Amino acid sequence: MVKLEHRKEATEDKKITVLPPPEKMFIPFCQHLGKLGLLEVKPGDKVITGQRIASAGAMPSAAVHSSVTGTVSSIETCAHPVLGRCSAAVIETRLPDSYAFRAREARDVDSLQPEELLDIIRDAGLVGMGGAGFPSFLKLKPPVRVRTLIVNGAECEPYLTSDYRLMLEKSDEIIKGALLLGRILGAEDICIAVEDNKPRAVELLLAKASGPLRVKKLRSFYPQGGEKQLIKSVLGREVPRGKLPFEAGAVVQNVATVFAAYEAVFLGKPLYERVVTVTGDCLSNPANLLVRTGTPISALISFCGPLKEEPRRIIIGGPMMGITQAGIDVPVIKTTSGVLVLGEKSGRILEESACIRCGRCVRVCSTGLLPCMLGAAAEKGMLEEAKRHGLADCLECGACAYVCPANRRLVQYIKKAKAEAAR
Amino acid sequence: MGNKLIVTAAPHMHAHQSTARIMWGVSLALLPAGAAGVYLFGYAALAVIGTAVAAALATEWLLQKMTRRQVTLLDGSAFLTGLLLAYNLPSGVPLWMPAVGSFFAIAVGKQIFGGLGQNIFNPALAARAFLMASWPAYMTSFRAPGFDAVASATPLSALKEGHLRQVYSYLDLFLGNKGGCIGEVCVVGLLAGAVFLFLKGYITWHIPVSYLFTTGILHYVFGPSGLFSGDWLFYLLSGGLVLGAFYMATDYVTSPLTAQGQLIYGTGCGLLTAVIRLWGGYPEGTCYAILMMNAVSPFIDRYTRGRIYGTGKMR
């Protein structure tokens, strides 16, 4: 556990602004953790906003929808923020177009059975929007009944404010969504967990919470918003080693996912747009944007420009667990919570030196590992030794590498060793 | 902009901390005690410090050049080793001794093991033990404070030989008005530096507190006139204990990683120091106590790994 500079000042007071879609969209068929969806369009097809363009493939998988109205000009392999490359539908939008999704007529949500609600959520292509992108409907039907639904509003990554803005501007919808997911799970206890560096969101939600719903203010530290840490902070118990959260009696869903569930069920709207924090010291107008999936990040960057200096590092996600990008042609997908554009000062590479066994990594590891020893074994490819040091337990949160005075690339070594161990 | 973007694994943010910053920070914390040593023992002390530091840097440079590795003099670790060795020497030693000692510290104590972070024993203490074994006469002839260079015993050696210790008031012991090694005599200077180390987060309380507490208790319990009659404060303020507890036992490389391990290690240091002082052949035991605990430090690490999330009982 480590205290980080929050660096949220630039965007925390910026209202969510709609980013108009550009003329060309690149919508990857995989925007989730799992297998590629099954294509349902071909070049030349006309699509409308919200139309499904890929259905869920072999599990785990999720459906993908078009975020615009237009024509599929081609299906090609395009840049992908997480996978590097991925098959995507290139859609040319018809401008001007009826951007707005036409909400279906209000349906009687209360009369729907949990199974019907789950179907709606599956068909809407919902995935965990906090970063990992695990298909939501799979997570919402655990093999045993859970008592608690935790709505993750911790947002412990520095810079990011998309969840915070959503909690401020869409609190009623989030509460309705949380009750809805609680009903699907049969949960008696629904807890919205928010870090104490977001007092306005805590107050607002507290004022509106009632019934089985409660709001828990958490201390601000990293990685408070990690699923396992969050369960420990909220319930005072841990997920048994190597098991899934439901075995600790809880399911965790990010606030953005909960909001998407509200939209899917109450408005019939599939997941094709999300709030993205666009910030960093290179941008003169950082913002929280409502962005359609498939929009290249170049459109986000130019919307928040002009650039103050030449970017050195462009990160999708937060600075602790996000992924650096080699170009600006990558599209926003369902899991893109932020785009950070960092310049010379915050983006430079620090030189690595020898481990001095100072123990800082040990003190910050929320999993209780010895990251310096694990990292050393991983670096040398000593997989058995690394496994003894808890290779599989590491969350890759990066707290150890953050505090390391020798700038050891601990997470990099550990990731590599995990990949080797999986072979 | 595409071709100039940096692509690395996460995290992409870093605390403002570096090995060099820590090493130079510890060196800075040692400044008051060293300045007091020079004030008390004169320019001879300054010459010993200068020689030890210069020899440590020269050895580090030479060996890194010879083995074609990156020269890392600026990380401050060799400087700190030289400084700590000098602090552990009497002011009157001939200047070839700090030079030989620093060479031993860097070459045998550190680089042979693979350089920074790899050594088992604290290099400065290994060198001190080496000098003590090789030239014990030089290592045990102390001068009284002041420029008149009168030969003197340390408070601990006077006590060991059965002399009365009343010549030293607690205040003398605290300020450094006593015979001893250059950097160990001025307790107030060492404590001032230690406060700085705590505030900067360079050391934690576990090792020094468990070390001093254990030594103090044992000296109190096993007093000269029966149980619970010991002058524990005299012992805490004498010899190299304060220097050892805050600056040598806390050496990252040679001490355990976890808080639990550090408590065991500090207690072990305290136990051995008191045992050597009370019943051993030497008047002072800090150096050997820490070296012995260095040797068991990897063993302590092995048995004090933290509880991994999701296993065992939550505290």
Side-chain angles (χ1 to χ4, degrees):
Chain A
M1 288 162 252
V2 59
K3 284 258 167 210
L4 298 177
E5 283 176 51
H6 297 138
R7 301 196 188 172
K8 296 179 192 274
E9 305 76 24
T11 53
E12 64 189 354
D13 295 326
K14 300 271 177 73
K15 278 207 172 113
I16 298 168
T17 312
V18 175
L19 177 76
E23 286 173 33
K24 219 173 186 182
M25 304 291 271
F26 303 84
I27 305 177
F29 292 115
C30 188
Q31 305 186 26
H32 48 265
L33 189 80
K35 303 203 173 64
L36 204 66
L38 307 170
L39 272 58
E40 294 187 337
V41 289
K42 56 184 188 305
D45 283 0
K46 295 209 180 334
V47 292
I48 59 164
T49 305
Q51 179 183 332
R52 195 170 71 190
I53 58 172
S55 60
M59 286 300 130
S61 185
V64 175
H65 300 78
S66 175
S67 61
V68 286
T69 300
T71 310
V72 178
S73 63
S74 63
I75 308 271
E76 42 186 288
T77 305
C78 296
H80 189 283
V82 180
L83 305 171
R85 315 286 294 169
C86 180
S87 164
V90 182
I91 299 177
E92 279 171 31
T93 55
R94 209 163 350 110
L95 295 171
D97 128 305
S98 50
Y99 293 137
F101 174 79
R102 268 181 235 99
R104 73 159 66 209
E105 271 137 60
R107 57 182 156 198
D108 186 8
V109 174
D110 289 339
S111 68
L112 291 170
Q113 293 302 305
E115 295 76 35
E116 295 172 281
L117 293 170
L118 261 180
D119 286 344
I120 295 172
I121 282 169
R122 185 194 59 208
D123 294 342
L126 254 66
V127 304
M129 292 165 78
F134 191 75
S136 302
F137 75 98
L138 291 176
K139 215 170 163 183
L140 288 169
K141 49 173 184 189
V144 293
R145 204 174 134 191
V146 297
R147 217 186 81 82
T148 307
L149 166 70
I150 300 174
V151 177
N152 188 352
E155 201 166 48
C156 60
E157 278 266 15
Y159 289 103
L160 303 185
T161 55
S162 55
D163 288 350
Y164 173 63
R165 289 312 306 184
L166 212 52
M167 287 188 280
L168 285 188
E169 298 179 33
K170 305 286 179 189
S171 55
D172 291 326
E173 290 84 348
I174 288 169
I175 286 172
K176 280 185 188 165
L179 292 168
L180 186 83
L181 297 187
R183 192 149 74 80
I184 293 176
L185 288 165
E188 300 148 37
D189 172 30
I190 302 172
C191 178
I192 305 181
V194 186
E195 277 192 348
D196 60 10
N197 64 354
K198 297 178 256 298
R200 280 179 64 202
V202 174
E203 276 169 42
L204 186 68
L205 291 167
L206 264 178
K208 294 182 175 179
S210 62
L213 205 112
R214 62 183 169 122
V215 178
K216 174 131 180 141
K217 193 160 82 172
L218 305 168
R219 273 197 309 128
S220 299
F221 66 75
Y222 183 84
Q224 183 68 275
E227 194 166 60
K228 288 183 167 179
Q229 179 60 50
L230 201 62
I231 289 170
K232 186 174 175 177
S233 298
V234 170
L235 298 176
R237 59 175 179 264
E238 296 180 344
V239 181
R241 189 180 198 184
K243 307 282 182 177
L244 291 168
F246 68 80
E247 306 205 39
V251 162
V252 180
Q253 293 283 353
N254 176 270
V255 283
T257 317
V258 172
F259 177 68
Y262 162 84
E263 289 198 316
V265 173
F266 285 85
L267 310 177
K269 180 181 164 187
L271 175 54
Y272 62 80
E273 62 183 357
R274 65 159 298 145
V275 182
V276 182
T277 299
V278 188
T279 186
D281 48 13
C282 290
L283 298 174
S284 34
N285 292 297
N288 298 297
L289 302 179
L290 183 65
V291 184
R292 311 232 185 162
T293 53
T295 308
I297 61 167
S298 54
L300 283 66
I301 294 171
S302 55
F303 188 86
C304 297
L307 290 176
K308 286 195 278 191
E309 60 170 306
E310 194 175 4
R312 295 306 308 278
R313 234 182 250 252
I314 294 181
I315 301 160
I316 287 198
M320 295 301 286
M321 290 188 80
I323 301 172
T324 43
Q325 303 296 325
I328 53 172
D329 51 347
V330 289
V332 166
I333 61 170
K334 294 171 185 174
T335 58
T336 307
S337 49
V339 175
L340 311 184
V341 187
L342 305 180
E344 191 60 45
K345 195 164 156 280
S346 38
R348 65 164 178 248
I349 293 184
L350 299 163
E351 208 174 316
E352 185 176 19
S353 55
C355 170
I356 53 171
R357 289 173 44 89
C358 68
R360 282 172 174 76
C361 56
V362 178
R363 292 200 285 278
V364 299
C365 182
S366 59
T367 305
L369 304 175
L370 305 176
C372 51
M373 310 281 272
L374 171 59
E379 183 187 9
K380 296 188 189 96
M382 297 160 67
L383 292 182
E384 289 310 311
E385 178 73 5
K387 282 177 193 165
R388 270 197 293 281
H389 277 290
L391 180 67
D393 296 282
C394 175
L395 308 173
E396 302 168 22
C397 75
C400 52
Y402 170 82
V403 297
C404 180
N407 295 310
R408 305 254 309 132
R409 319 265 188 256
L410 295 164
V411 179
Q412 182 179 325
Y413 302 141
I414 291 167
K415 278 186 174 167
K416 186 164 168 280
K418 275 186 178 178
E420 278 166 22
R423 271 204 303 235
Chain B
M1 66 177 86
N3 54 357
K4 285 194 179 163
L5 290 176
I6 297 169
V7 177
T8 53
H12 315 290
M13 207 170 141
H14 195 266
H16 308 290
Q17 192 57 273
S18 73
T19 303
R21 202 184 279 254
I22 297 168
M23 295 294 174
W24 292 115
V26 177
S27 302
L28 184 68
L30 283 164
L31 190 67
V38 173
Y39 171 78
L40 292 165
F41 300 116
Y43 292 120
L46 191 62
V48 171
I49 294 173
T51 308
V53 167
L57 291 173
T59 309
E60 178 110 325
W61 180 85
L62 186 72
L63 289 173
Q64 287 180 331
K65 277 282 172 198
M66 275 170 62
T67 51
R68 299 206 175 96
R69 282 173 302 158
Q70 195 189 355
V71 173
T72 55
L73 292 190
L74 290 179
D75 73 8
S77 66
F79 180 95
L80 181 58
T81 299
L83 195 63
L84 281 170
L85 174 64
Y87 278 29
N88 277 286
L89 299 177
S91 60
V93 291
L95 289 182
W96 56 265
M97 278 192 59
V100 170
S102 280
F103 176 81
F104 185 91
I106 299 293
V108 181
K110 177 176 165 191
Q111 291 297 343
I112 274 184
F113 291 95
L116 183 63
Q118 302 296 322
N119 48 294
I120 297 168
F121 296 104
N122 183 317
L125 287 179
R128 186 197 136 101
F130 164 74
L131 293 176
M132 190 76 180
S134 308
W135 298 283
Y138 286 125
M139 290 296 286
T140 51
S141 56
F142 297 96
R143 295 182 192 181
F147 284 77
D148 48 357
V150 186
S152 160
T154 68
L156 285 174
S157 60
L159 190 69
K160 197 89 187 177
E161 287 153 22
H163 302 312
L164 290 177
R165 63 142 190 89
Q166 272 76 357
V167 285
Y168 300 104
S169 69
Y170 289 135
L171 190 66
D172 283 342
L173 294 171
F174 191 61
L175 296 177
N177 193 17
K178 61 190 171 192
C181 293
I182 295 167
E184 72 182 23
V185 288
C186 182
V187 173
V188 63
L190 290 168
L191 290 179
V195 168
F196 173 77
L197 294 184
F198 281 120
L199 293 180
K200 291 296 253 180
Y202 292 164
I203 60 174
T204 60
W205 62 270
H206 305 85
I207 293 173
V209 169
S210 58
Y211 191 165
L212 295 173
F213 180 78
T214 308
T215 306
I217 287 281
L218 286 171
H219 278 303
Y220 170 62
V221 171
F222 299 102
S225 43
L227 291 180
F228 309 108
S229 67
D231 187 352
W232 56 273
L233 188 56
F234 167 80
Y235 281 102
L236 288 188
L237 296 174
S238 300
L241 183 58
V242 173
L243 177 63
F246 288 100
Y247 297 89
M248 318 280 287
T250 54
D251 172 36
Y252 292 149
V253 177
T254 54
S255 63
L257 285 168
T258 63
Q260 195 197 353
Q262 290 173 354
L263 288 175
I264 295 170
Y265 170 90
T267 307
C269 286
L271 184 76
L272 290 171
T273 300
V275 166
I276 294 171
R277 281 178 172 188
L278 288 167
W279 299 294
Y282 291 103
E284 172 60 305
T286 305
C287 169
Y288 296 115
I290 296 173
L291 284 172
M292 279 187 264
M293 291 310 291
N294 285 167
V296 295
S297 177
F299 182 75
I300 296 174
D301 266 341
R302 172 163 293 238
Y303 290 98
T304 54
R305 285 184 192 173
R307 187 188 63 86
I308 292 177
Y309 179 104
T311 65
K313 267 219 177 79
M314 242 176 93
R315 260 173 295 176

